[in-house]
Amino acid sequence: MATQSAALSLVALGGVPMVVPGANLADTVINALVASTETLRDGDIVVLAQKIVSKAEGRAVPLADITPSPAALDLASQCDKDPRLVELILSESQAVMRVRPGVLIVRHRLGLVLANAGIDQSNIDQSGGPVALLLPRDPDESCLQLRAALHERTGIDAAVLIIDSFGRAWRNGTTGTAIGVSGMAGLLDLRGAPDLHGRRLETSELGLADEVAAAASLIMGQGNEGRPIVLVRGLSHDRRDGSAGELIRAPQLDLFP
């Protein structure tokens, strides 16, 4: 049987300004589409970097406002981090998983296992003193609201992802990871589907949203590129109310707690 060709298009949208607290992200996306001479189409996926969502939602916290607890002071001495930053990490976490100099791995309140509870200080104005940026309060809900706003404005029901860069067990380097999903599957269950020889798949589950996130992250960049919105086109995917929560393995099923 001959295979069919396939293509996927990813466009980093231009015309995205510095996002400030209270910014209307639907306006930001639509203006960026216009600046890039693009329009939304059925089946499109709009991918946003976590930072612009967190900034719009007012999740920046001046470290001067934080008083570290004794627990934060103790952990800070172990991981060589600012105790105020550690206090913020603890406030966003369910549990501390691993500690070593320079590394603090936690289970985030959203269930994500990641370094520093996803709290970052890069690409944030620090001119008034140290500031840390927390993850959105509810990334899946943020995606759902933005998807609804884009549909109202354009008539197109595009899927929306919020992504961040995560490290991975056993592998060096970070990769784009979906922390918010709406309008598509987060996890695609392929069990029962046939392989090329007709054998039914038994264990195959595809982290679909993570694969899209990794592709989009490639052209977003990680430094001063200023490309926080990517339009993904050409991916055949389930049109449903998926979530990033689908991608989180339950702690009782984690082989490496």
Side-chain angles (χ1 to χ4, degrees):
M1 180 181 67
T3 58
Q4 297 180 342
S5 63
L8 183 65
S9 166
L10 295 97
V11 178
L13 301 181
V16 181
M18 295 295 290
V19 173
V20 298
N24 185 313
L25 290 178
D27 285 345
T28 301
V29 171
I30 289 171
N31 291 339
L33 287 164
V34 171
S36 304
T37 64
E38 295 281 357
T39 56
L40 284 182
R41 303 178 193 172
D42 288 331
D44 282 352
I45 305 170
V46 178
V47 183
L48 294 91
Q50 163 266 322
K51 272 195 175 66
I52 65 169
V53 180
S54 291
K55 288 178 179 179
E57 294 182 358
R59 297 289 282 163
V61 180
L63 293 189
D65 294 348
I66 304 300
T67 301
S69 63
L73 290 168
D74 179 55
L75 272 177
S77 68
Q78 299 177 51
C79 63
D80 193 26
K81 292 184 180 295
D82 187 321
R84 300 169 298 178
L85 182 61
V86 173
E87 181 64 32
L88 278 178
I89 293 169
L90 291 177
S91 73
E92 288 285 286
S93 303
Q94 298 177 6
V96 175
M97 312 296 290
R98 296 288 186 274
V99 183
R100 66 173 61 177
V103 179
L104 183 56
I105 305 297
V106 300
R107 187 178 299 277
H108 191 272
R109 57 179 174 77
L110 296 170
L112 306 163
V113 175
L114 72 172
N116 305 324
I119 296 173
D120 195 4
Q121 293 182 274
S122 63
N123 288 318
I124 308 165
D125 184 5
Q126 307 279 349
S127 60
V131 176
L133 192 67
L134 282 58
L135 295 186
R137 292 189 186 280
D138 187 342
D140 280 333
E141 180 64 22
S142 298
C143 286
L144 180 63
Q145 291 182 9
L146 179 56
R147 176 183 163 210
L150 291 173
H151 182 255
E152 182 179 358
R153 298 276 295 275
T154 68
I156 300 296
D157 186 18
V160 177
L161 299 186
I162 297 172
I163 71 171
D164 199 2
S165 296
F166 280 24
R168 302 157 295 160
W170 307 298
R171 305 283 286 184
N172 289 322
T174 62
T175 187
T177 303
I179 65 169
V181 177
S182 182
M184 64 178 288
L187 184 70
L188 187 59
D189 189 352
L190 300 176
R191 291 172 295 181
D195 68 10
L196 286 173
H197 300 281
R199 182 181 183 277
R200 297 176 70 84
L201 301 175
E202 297 179 359
T203 61
S204 298
E205 292 180 289
L206 178 68
L208 181 63
D210 279 346
E211 295 213 320
V212 175
S217 181
L218 282 174
I219 57 174
M220 277 185 182
Q222 300 294 320
N224 61 359
E225 294 87 354
R227 298 192 294 258
I229 303 175
V230 171
L231 179 65
V232 179
R233 178 169 292 156
L235 180 70
S236 176
H237 63 88
D238 281 351
R239 304 293 299 178
R240 67 173 177 83
D241 290 329
S243 73
E246 300 171 14
L247 295 160
I248 298 173
R249 181 175 285 121
Q252 64 268 27
L253 300 177
D254 192 347
L255 298 178
F256 304 96

